[in-house]
PDB file of all heavy atoms in Angstrom:
ATOM      1  N   VAL P   1       6.848  -7.861   2.971  1.00 94.00           N
ATOM      2  CA  VAL P   1       5.893  -7.067   3.746  1.00 94.00           C
ATOM      3  C   VAL P   1       4.489  -7.586   3.443  1.00 94.00           C
ATOM      4  O   VAL P   1       3.998  -7.488   2.317  1.00 94.00           O
ATOM      5  CB  VAL P   1       5.995  -5.568   3.406  1.00 94.00           C
ATOM      6  CG1 VAL P   1       4.991  -4.773   4.245  1.00 94.00           C
ATOM      7  CG2 VAL P   1       7.408  -5.055   3.666  1.00 94.00           C
ATOM      8  N   VAL P   2       3.852  -8.171   4.450  1.00 96.00           N
ATOM      9  CA  VAL P   2       2.484  -8.671   4.318  1.00 96.00           C
ATOM     10  C   VAL P   2       1.529  -7.491   4.490  1.00 96.00           C
ATOM     11  O   VAL P   2       1.650  -6.734   5.455  1.00 96.00           O
ATOM     12  CB  VAL P   2       2.203  -9.746   5.396  1.00 96.00           C
ATOM     13  CG1 VAL P   2       0.774 -10.243   5.299  1.00 96.00           C
ATOM     14  CG2 VAL P   2       3.194 -10.907   5.265  1.00 96.00           C
ATOM     15  N   PRO P   3       0.586  -7.276   3.578  1.00 95.00           N
ATOM     16  CA  PRO P   3      -0.319  -6.132   3.717  1.00 95.00           C
ATOM     17  C   PRO P   3      -1.243  -6.268   4.925  1.00 95.00           C
ATOM     18  O   PRO P   3      -1.860  -7.311   5.128  1.00 95.00           O
ATOM     19  CB  PRO P   3      -1.121  -6.138   2.404  1.00 95.00           C
ATOM     20  CG  PRO P   3      -0.991  -7.524   1.870  1.00 95.00           C
ATOM     21  CD  PRO P   3       0.330  -8.044   2.347  1.00 95.00           C
ATOM     22  N   GLY P   4      -1.308  -5.211   5.728  1.00 94.00           N
ATOM     23  CA  GLY P   4      -2.198  -5.186   6.887  1.00 94.00           C
ATOM     24  C   GLY P   4      -3.354  -4.234   6.656  1.00 94.00           C
ATOM     25  O   GLY P   4      -3.532  -3.681   5.563  1.00 94.00           O
ATOM     26  N   ASP P   5      -4.140  -4.007   7.690  1.00 93.00           N
ATOM     27  CA  ASP P   5      -5.292  -3.111   7.579  1.00 93.00           C
ATOM     28  C   ASP P   5      -4.857  -1.671   7.320  1.00 93.00           C
ATOM     29  O   ASP P   5      -5.485  -0.957   6.536  1.00 93.00           O
ATOM     30  CB  ASP P   5      -6.120  -3.159   8.870  1.00 93.00           C
ATOM     31  CG  ASP P   5      -6.612  -4.564   9.165  1.00 93.00           C
ATOM     32  OD1 ASP P   5      -7.199  -5.179   8.263  1.00 93.00           O
ATOM     33  OD2 ASP P   5      -6.391  -5.053  10.288  1.00 93.00           O
ATOM     34  N   HIS P   6      -3.789  -1.242   7.975  1.00 91.00           N
ATOM     35  CA  HIS P   6      -3.342   0.143   7.818  1.00 91.00           C
ATOM     36  C   HIS P   6      -2.766   0.396   6.429  1.00 91.00           C
ATOM     37  O   HIS P   6      -2.757   1.529   5.965  1.00 91.00           O
ATOM     38  CB  HIS P   6      -2.312   0.499   8.892  1.00 91.00           C
ATOM     39  CG  HIS P   6      -2.898   0.643  10.258  1.00 91.00           C
ATOM     40  ND1 HIS P   6      -3.428   1.822  10.727  1.00 91.00           N
ATOM     41  CD2 HIS P   6      -3.057  -0.263  11.251  1.00 91.00           C
ATOM     42  CE1 HIS P   6      -3.878   1.646  11.960  1.00 91.00           C
ATOM     43  NE2 HIS P   6      -3.663   0.385  12.301  1.00 91.00           N
ATOM     44  N   GLU P   7      -2.268  -0.650   5.785  1.00 92.00           N
ATOM     45  CA  GLU P   7      -1.726  -0.478   4.429  1.00 92.00           C
ATOM     46  C   GLU P   7      -2.821  -0.459   3.370  1.00 92.00           C
ATOM     47  O   GLU P   7      -2.680   0.202   2.347  1.00 92.00           O
ATOM     48  CB  GLU P   7      -0.732  -1.604   4.093  1.00 92.00           C
ATOM     49  CG  GLU P   7       0.630  -1.443   4.724  1.00 92.00           C
ATOM     50  CD  GLU P   7       0.706  -1.967   6.138  1.00 92.00           C
ATOM     51  OE1 GLU P   7      -0.074  -2.875   6.491  1.00 92.00           O
ATOM     52  OE2 GLU P   7       1.539  -1.471   6.911  1.00 92.00           O
ATOM     53  N   LEU P   8      -3.909  -1.205   3.579  1.00 93.00           N
ATOM     54  CA  LEU P   8      -4.928  -1.342   2.534  1.00 93.00           C
ATOM     55  C   LEU P   8      -6.241  -0.646   2.861  1.00 93.00           C
ATOM     56  O   LEU P   8      -7.090  -0.495   1.989  1.00 93.00           O
ATOM     57  CB  LEU P   8      -5.209  -2.828   2.270  1.00 93.00           C
ATOM     58  CG  LEU P   8      -4.059  -3.656   1.693  1.00 93.00           C
ATOM     59  CD1 LEU P   8      -4.538  -5.064   1.394  1.00 93.00           C
ATOM     60  CD2 LEU P   8      -3.485  -3.021   0.445  1.00 93.00           C
ATOM     61  N   GLY P   9      -6.414  -0.231   4.108  1.00 92.00           N
ATOM     62  CA  GLY P   9      -7.683   0.371   4.509  1.00 92.00           C
ATOM     63  C   GLY P   9      -8.543  -0.632   5.251  1.00 92.00           C
ATOM     64  O   GLY P   9      -8.475  -1.836   5.002  1.00 92.00           O
ATOM     65  N   TYR P  10      -9.362  -0.166   6.182  1.00 92.00           N
ATOM     66  CA  TYR P  10     -10.142  -1.092   6.993  1.00 92.00           C
ATOM     67  C   TYR P  10     -11.440  -0.475   7.495  1.00 92.00           C
ATOM     68  O   TYR P  10     -11.603   0.739   7.573  1.00 92.00           O
ATOM     69  CB  TYR P  10      -9.321  -1.566   8.196  1.00 92.00           C
ATOM     70  CG  TYR P  10      -8.851  -0.463   9.124  1.00 92.00           C
ATOM     71  CD1 TYR P  10      -9.660  -0.018  10.170  1.00 92.00           C
ATOM     72  CD2 TYR P  10      -7.605   0.119   8.959  1.00 92.00           C
ATOM     73  CE1 TYR P  10      -9.232   0.986  11.020  1.00 92.00           C
ATOM     74  CE2 TYR P  10      -7.168   1.124   9.806  1.00 92.00           C
ATOM     75  CZ  TYR P  10      -7.991   1.556  10.836  1.00 92.00           C
ATOM     76  OH  TYR P  10      -7.557   2.561  11.671  1.00 92.00           O
ATOM     77  N   ARG P  11     -12.362  -1.381   7.806  1.00 89.00           N
ATOM     78  CA  ARG P  11     -13.582  -1.040   8.544  1.00 89.00           C
ATOM     79  C   ARG P  11     -13.701  -2.069   9.656  1.00 89.00           C
ATOM     80  O   ARG P  11     -14.302  -3.116   9.485  1.00 89.00           O
ATOM     81  CB  ARG P  11     -14.795  -1.077   7.620  1.00 89.00           C
ATOM     82  CG  ARG P  11     -14.872   0.116   6.684  1.00 89.00           C
ATOM     83  CD  ARG P  11     -15.863  -0.119   5.567  1.00 89.00           C
ATOM     84  NE  ARG P  11     -17.215  -0.292   6.064  1.00 89.00           N
ATOM     85  CZ  ARG P  11     -18.220  -0.745   5.326  1.00 89.00           C
ATOM     86  NH1 ARG P  11     -18.002  -1.101   4.074  1.00 89.00           N
ATOM     87  NH2 ARG P  11     -19.434  -0.862   5.820  1.00 89.00           N
ATOM     88  N   LEU P  12     -13.088  -1.756  10.771  1.00 87.00           N
ATOM     89  CA  LEU P  12     -13.122  -2.646  11.919  1.00 87.00           C
ATOM     90  C   LEU P  12     -14.131  -2.119  12.937  1.00 87.00           C
ATOM     91  O   LEU P  12     -14.756  -1.077  12.729  1.00 87.00           O
ATOM     92  CB  LEU P  12     -11.720  -2.749  12.532  1.00 87.00           C
ATOM     93  CG  LEU P  12     -10.615  -3.208  11.562  1.00 87.00           C
ATOM     94  CD1 LEU P  12      -9.260  -3.190  12.256  1.00 87.00           C
ATOM     95  CD2 LEU P  12     -10.900  -4.581  11.012  1.00 87.00           C
ATOM     96  N   ALA P  13     -14.249  -2.838  14.026  1.00 84.00           N
ATOM     97  CA  ALA P  13     -15.272  -2.474  15.017  1.00 84.00           C
ATOM     98  C   ALA P  13     -15.082  -1.071  15.591  1.00 84.00           C
ATOM     99  O   ALA P  13     -16.041  -0.426  16.002  1.00 84.00           O
ATOM    100  CB  ALA P  13     -15.271  -3.503  16.139  1.00 84.00           C
ATOM    101  N   LEU P  14     -13.841  -0.562  15.630  1.00 83.00           N
ATOM    102  CA  LEU P  14     -13.578   0.766  16.198  1.00 83.00           C
ATOM    103  C   LEU P  14     -13.248   1.802  15.115  1.00 83.00           C
ATOM    104  O   LEU P  14     -12.677   2.850  15.418  1.00 83.00           O
ATOM    105  CB  LEU P  14     -12.430   0.689  17.207  1.00 83.00           C
ATOM    106  CG  LEU P  14     -12.732  -0.120  18.473  1.00 83.00           C
ATOM    107  CD1 LEU P  14     -11.471  -0.315  19.296  1.00 83.00           C
ATOM    108  CD2 LEU P  14     -13.801   0.574  19.315  1.00 83.00           C
ATOM    109  N   SER P  15     -13.620   1.535  13.868  1.00 87.00           N
ATOM    110  CA  SER P  15     -13.345   2.477  12.780  1.00 87.00           C
ATOM    111  C   SER P  15     -14.070   3.798  13.008  1.00 87.00           C
ATOM    112  O   SER P  15     -15.184   3.834  13.543  1.00 87.00           O
ATOM    113  CB  SER P  15     -13.786   1.889  11.441  1.00 87.00           C
ATOM    114  OG  SER P  15     -12.989   0.783  11.094  1.00 87.00           O
ATOM    115  N   THR P  16     -13.412   4.910  12.587  1.00 87.00           N
ATOM    116  CA  THR P  16     -14.000   6.240  12.776  1.00 87.00           C
ATOM    117  C   THR P  16     -14.106   7.023  11.472  1.00 87.00           C
ATOM    118  O   THR P  16     -14.486   8.181  11.482  1.00 87.00           O
ATOM    119  CB  THR P  16     -13.156   7.065  13.779  1.00 87.00           C
ATOM    120  OG1 THR P  16     -11.806   7.135  13.300  1.00 87.00           O
ATOM    121  CG2 THR P  16     -13.168   6.431  15.156  1.00 87.00           C
ATOM    122  N   ASP P  17     -13.767   6.386  10.353  1.00 89.00           N
ATOM    123  CA  ASP P  17     -13.875   7.024   9.043  1.00 89.00           C
ATOM    124  C   ASP P  17     -15.058   6.387   8.316  1.00 89.00           C
ATOM    125  O   ASP P  17     -15.025   5.222   7.961  1.00 89.00           O
ATOM    126  CB  ASP P  17     -12.578   6.801   8.253  1.00 89.00           C
ATOM    127  CG  ASP P  17     -12.591   7.490   6.892  1.00 89.00           C
ATOM    128  OD1 ASP P  17     -13.677   7.886   6.437  1.00 89.00           O
ATOM    129  OD2 ASP P  17     -11.517   7.637   6.292  1.00 89.00           O
ATOM    130  N   PRO P  18     -16.139   7.128   8.080  1.00 86.00           N
ATOM    131  CA  PRO P  18     -17.340   6.546   7.457  1.00 86.00           C
ATOM    132  C   PRO P  18     -17.084   5.995   6.053  1.00 86.00           C
ATOM    133  O   PRO P  18     -17.853   5.170   5.575  1.00 86.00           O
ATOM    134  CB  PRO P  18     -18.327   7.709   7.429  1.00 86.00           C
ATOM    135  CG  PRO P  18     -17.513   8.941   7.594  1.00 86.00           C
ATOM    136  CD  PRO P  18     -16.329   8.550   8.411  1.00 86.00           C
ATOM    137  N   LYS P  19     -16.029   6.449   5.407  1.00 86.00           N
ATOM    138  CA  LYS P  19     -15.698   5.945   4.072  1.00 86.00           C
ATOM    139  C   LYS P  19     -14.456   5.070   4.100  1.00 86.00           C
ATOM    140  O   LYS P  19     -13.833   4.819   3.076  1.00 86.00           O
ATOM    141  CB  LYS P  19     -15.498   7.110   3.101  1.00 86.00           C
ATOM    142  CG  LYS P  19     -16.773   7.908   2.840  1.00 86.00           C
ATOM    143  CD  LYS P  19     -16.533   8.992   1.806  1.00 86.00           C
ATOM    144  CE  LYS P  19     -17.814   9.792   1.556  1.00 86.00           C
ATOM    145  NZ  LYS P  19     -17.577  10.868   0.556  1.00 86.00           N
ATOM    146  N   GLY P  20     -14.101   4.598   5.289  1.00 90.00           N
ATOM    147  CA  GLY P  20     -12.930   3.756   5.422  1.00 90.00           C
ATOM    148  C   GLY P  20     -13.127   2.402   4.768  1.00 90.00           C
ATOM    149  O   GLY P  20     -14.251   1.934   4.590  1.00 90.00           O
ATOM    150  N   GLY P  21     -12.022   1.771   4.402  1.00 92.00           N
ATOM    151  CA  GLY P  21     -12.078   0.450   3.794  1.00 92.00           C
ATOM    152  C   GLY P  21     -11.154   0.354   2.608  1.00 92.00           C
ATOM    153  O   GLY P  21     -10.582   1.346   2.165  1.00 92.00           O
ATOM    154  N   ILE P  22     -10.993  -0.855   2.102  1.00 94.00           N
ATOM    155  CA  ILE P  22     -10.122  -1.035   0.952  1.00 94.00           C
ATOM    156  C   ILE P  22     -10.781  -0.468  -0.299  1.00 94.00           C
ATOM    157  O   ILE P  22     -12.001  -0.274  -0.350  1.00 94.00           O
ATOM    158  CB  ILE P  22      -9.739  -2.513   0.740  1.00 94.00           C
ATOM    159  CG1 ILE P  22     -10.961  -3.368   0.362  1.00 94.00           C
ATOM    160  CG2 ILE P  22      -9.056  -3.082   1.956  1.00 94.00           C
ATOM    161  CD1 ILE P  22     -10.594  -4.784  -0.047  1.00 94.00           C
ATOM    162  N   SER P  23      -9.969  -0.207  -1.297  1.00 93.00           N
ATOM    163  CA  SER P  23     -10.463   0.322  -2.564  1.00 93.00           C
ATOM    164  C   SER P  23      -9.501  -0.115  -3.660  1.00 93.00           C
ATOM    165  O   SER P  23      -8.399  -0.603  -3.384  1.00 93.00           O
ATOM    166  CB  SER P  23     -10.538   1.853  -2.516  1.00 93.00           C
ATOM    167  OG  SER P  23      -9.231   2.405  -2.361  1.00 93.00           O
ATOM    168  N   GLY P  24      -9.911   0.075  -4.894  1.00 93.00           N
ATOM    169  CA  GLY P  24      -9.018  -0.223  -6.003  1.00 93.00           C
ATOM    170  C   GLY P  24      -7.748   0.591  -5.920  1.00 93.00           C
ATOM    171  O   GLY P  24      -6.648   0.096  -6.201  1.00 93.00           O
ATOM    172  N   GLU P  25      -7.897   1.853  -5.484  1.00 91.00           N
ATOM    173  CA  GLU P  25      -6.741   2.741  -5.378  1.00 91.00           C
ATOM    174  C   GLU P  25      -5.774   2.275  -4.294  1.00 91.00           C
ATOM    175  O   GLU P  25      -4.554   2.291  -4.485  1.00 91.00           O
ATOM    176  CB  GLU P  25      -7.203   4.166  -5.092  1.00 91.00           C
ATOM    177  CG  GLU P  25      -6.078   5.191  -5.114  1.00 91.00           C
ATOM    178  CD  GLU P  25      -6.559   6.607  -4.862  1.00 91.00           C
ATOM    179  OE1 GLU P  25      -7.784   6.829  -4.783  1.00 91.00           O
ATOM    180  OE2 GLU P  25      -5.696   7.500  -4.736  1.00 91.00           O
ATOM    181  N   SER P  26      -6.301   1.834  -3.140  1.00 91.00           N
ATOM    182  CA  SER P  26      -5.405   1.406  -2.051  1.00 91.00           C
ATOM    183  C   SER P  26      -4.684   0.111  -2.409  1.00 91.00           C
ATOM    184  O   SER P  26      -3.507  -0.071  -2.091  1.00 91.00           O
ATOM    185  CB  SER P  26      -6.188   1.242  -0.741  1.00 91.00           C
ATOM    186  OG  SER P  26      -7.063   0.133  -0.769  1.00 91.00           O
ATOM    187  N   LEU P  27      -5.379  -0.811  -3.093  1.00 93.00           N
ATOM    188  CA  LEU P  27      -4.732  -2.048  -3.534  1.00 93.00           C
ATOM    189  C   LEU P  27      -3.633  -1.749  -4.545  1.00 93.00           C
ATOM    190  O   LEU P  27      -2.535  -2.301  -4.489  1.00 93.00           O
ATOM    191  CB  LEU P  27      -5.762  -2.999  -4.167  1.00 93.00           C
ATOM    192  CG  LEU P  27      -6.847  -3.554  -3.237  1.00 93.00           C
ATOM    193  CD1 LEU P  27      -7.892  -4.303  -4.040  1.00 93.00           C
ATOM    194  CD2 LEU P  27      -6.261  -4.459  -2.178  1.00 93.00           C
ATOM    195  N   ASP P  28      -3.950  -0.837  -5.471  1.00 91.00           N
ATOM    196  CA  ASP P  28      -2.993  -0.470  -6.517  1.00 91.00           C
ATOM    197  C   ASP P  28      -1.769   0.220  -5.922  1.00 91.00           C
ATOM    198  O   ASP P  28      -0.635  -0.050  -6.321  1.00 91.00           O
ATOM    199  CB  ASP P  28      -3.683   0.450  -7.529  1.00 91.00           C
ATOM    200  CG  ASP P  28      -2.850   0.641  -8.781  1.00 91.00           C
ATOM    201  OD1 ASP P  28      -2.506  -0.354  -9.424  1.00 91.00           O
ATOM    202  OD2 ASP P  28      -2.540   1.806  -9.101  1.00 91.00           O
ATOM    203  N   SER P  29      -1.998   1.096  -4.927  1.00 86.00           N
ATOM    204  CA  SER P  29      -0.878   1.831  -4.338  1.00 86.00           C
ATOM    205  C   SER P  29       0.043   0.896  -3.571  1.00 86.00           C
ATOM    206  O   SER P  29       1.267   1.031  -3.615  1.00 86.00           O
ATOM    207  CB  SER P  29      -1.375   2.967  -3.434  1.00 86.00           C
ATOM    208  OG  SER P  29      -2.014   2.475  -2.280  1.00 86.00           O
ATOM    209  N   PHE P  30      -0.516  -0.102  -2.873  1.00 89.00           N
ATOM    210  CA  PHE P  30       0.342  -1.058  -2.158  1.00 89.00           C
ATOM    211  C   PHE P  30       1.204  -1.823  -3.155  1.00 89.00           C
ATOM    212  O   PHE P  30       2.413  -1.980  -2.946  1.00 89.00           O
ATOM    213  CB  PHE P  30      -0.501  -2.041  -1.339  1.00 89.00           C
ATOM    214  CG  PHE P  30       0.331  -3.000  -0.518  1.00 89.00           C
ATOM    215  CD1 PHE P  30       0.684  -2.676   0.787  1.00 89.00           C
ATOM    216  CD2 PHE P  30       0.789  -4.189  -1.049  1.00 89.00           C
ATOM    217  CE1 PHE P  30       1.481  -3.538   1.547  1.00 89.00           C
ATOM    218  CE2 PHE P  30       1.577  -5.068  -0.307  1.00 89.00           C
ATOM    219  CZ  PHE P  30       1.916  -4.729   0.998  1.00 89.00           C
ATOM    220  N   PHE P  31       0.581  -2.289  -4.228  1.00 90.00           N
ATOM    221  CA  PHE P  31       1.311  -3.091  -5.209  1.00 90.00           C
ATOM    222  C   PHE P  31       2.465  -2.301  -5.832  1.00 90.00           C
ATOM    223  O   PHE P  31       3.572  -2.812  -5.968  1.00 90.00           O
ATOM    224  CB  PHE P  31       0.354  -3.578  -6.299  1.00 90.00           C
ATOM    225  CG  PHE P  31       1.036  -4.382  -7.366  1.00 90.00           C
ATOM    226  CD1 PHE P  31       1.369  -5.705  -7.140  1.00 90.00           C
ATOM    227  CD2 PHE P  31       1.354  -3.818  -8.587  1.00 90.00           C
ATOM    228  CE1 PHE P  31       2.016  -6.460  -8.118  1.00 90.00           C
ATOM    229  CE2 PHE P  31       1.999  -4.554  -9.574  1.00 90.00           C
ATOM    230  CZ  PHE P  31       2.324  -5.884  -9.332  1.00 90.00           C
ATOM    231  N   HIS P  32       2.219  -1.042  -6.182  1.00 86.00           N
ATOM    232  CA  HIS P  32       3.241  -0.259  -6.870  1.00 86.00           C
ATOM    233  C   HIS P  32       4.275   0.365  -5.928  1.00 86.00           C
ATOM    234  O   HIS P  32       5.414   0.599  -6.322  1.00 86.00           O
ATOM    235  CB  HIS P  32       2.579   0.842  -7.710  1.00 86.00           C
ATOM    236  CG  HIS P  32       1.922   0.309  -8.951  1.00 86.00           C
ATOM    237  ND1 HIS P  32       0.574   0.066  -9.027  1.00 86.00           N
ATOM    238  CD2 HIS P  32       2.440  -0.079 -10.141  1.00 86.00           C
ATOM    239  CE1 HIS P  32       0.279  -0.427 -10.224  1.00 86.00           C
ATOM    240  NE2 HIS P  32       1.393  -0.526 -10.918  1.00 86.00           N
ATOM    241  N   VAL P  33       3.876   0.614  -4.680  1.00 84.00           N
ATOM    242  CA  VAL P  33       4.796   1.258  -3.741  1.00 84.00           C
ATOM    243  C   VAL P  33       5.561   0.225  -2.921  1.00 84.00           C
ATOM    244  O   VAL P  33       6.742   0.410  -2.623  1.00 84.00           O
ATOM    245  CB  VAL P  33       4.022   2.232  -2.813  1.00 84.00           C
ATOM    246  CG1 VAL P  33       4.915   2.742  -1.712  1.00 84.00           C
ATOM    247  CG2 VAL P  33       3.458   3.398  -3.616  1.00 84.00           C
TER     248      VAL P  33
END
């Protein structure tokens, strides 16, 4: 499974979450899950 934006978090041109994006927690959760 190659990590995508939805798995790690993203800030793309149509993003609607002001705090969206990757984080240490999202990277860690992908690795462990």
Side-chain angles (χ1 to χ4, degrees):
V1 181
V2 178
D5 301 309
H6 288 273
E7 283 84 26
L8 295 184
Y10 59 87
R11 285 166 63 193
L12 304 176
L14 293 171
S15 293
T16 57
D17 182 345
K19 294 184 180 179
I22 66 172
S23 64
E25 186 179 354
S26 70
L27 294 172
D28 192 57
S29 68
F30 183 91
F31 179 78
H32 286 99
V33 171

